[in-house]
Amino acid sequence: RGGAAAFRSAKFVGVIDSFRASLNELVRTLEATHTHFVRCVKPNLAKTAGAYEGEVAVRQLRTSGVVQAVHAARAGFPDHVPFATIVGSYGVVAGGGAQGGKAPAGDKAGAKAVL
């Protein structure tokens, strides 16, 4: 048990501690914001640490629809419509046939019935 094995073990623990600290920082950031989703982006094609290729990241964001979603949100379009809003706006139309003459409930099932 000595030399090389102890060195590898200490090195591995260092990597784990670094990962744990990075993960904790990410969790704190996510908890401090109102994040709707998380999108992972590869910083470079080789997936190597410390190398960032802007065109690679931008291409991923464009092809995944993130850039278009940001443009739509900035233009004032909602990124999420609550179920109650859908039912309130369109429930009258679906009320007669969807639930046997009653207006649908303002929850997910009600919104599904309206749609």
Side-chain angles (χ1 to χ4, degrees), residues 3-114:
F7 175 73
R8 273 189 246 126
S9 177
K11 189 174 183 181
F12 186 69
V13 169
V15 171
I16 290 173
D17 289 340
S18 174
F19 175 76
R20 184 176 291 133
S22 176
L23 182 60
N24 285 333
E25 181 182 344
L26 174 62
V27 169
R28 278 193 303 276
T29 301
L30 292 174
E31 288 175 346
T33 62
H34 299 287
T35 306
H36 296 284
F37 64 91
V38 175
R39 172 74 61 184
C40 296
V41 177
K42 296 175 196 137
N44 57 63
L45 294 177
K47 301 180 203 169
T48 56
Y52 179 78
E53 298 175 19
E55 63 276 357
V56 172
V58 169
R59 182 175 53 237
Q60 291 174 72
L61 294 172
R62 285 187 197 282
T63 58
S64 66
V66 172
V67 173
Q68 290 81 0
V70 169
H71 286 306
R74 285 188 177 168
F77 295 100
D79 62 346
H80 175 75
V81 178
F83 297 127
T85 301
I86 294 171
V87 172
S89 297
Y90 305 104
V92 175
V93 177
Q99 305 248 331
K102 297 188 305 183
D107 59 3
K108 185 175 183 178
K112 209 171 193 179
V114 168

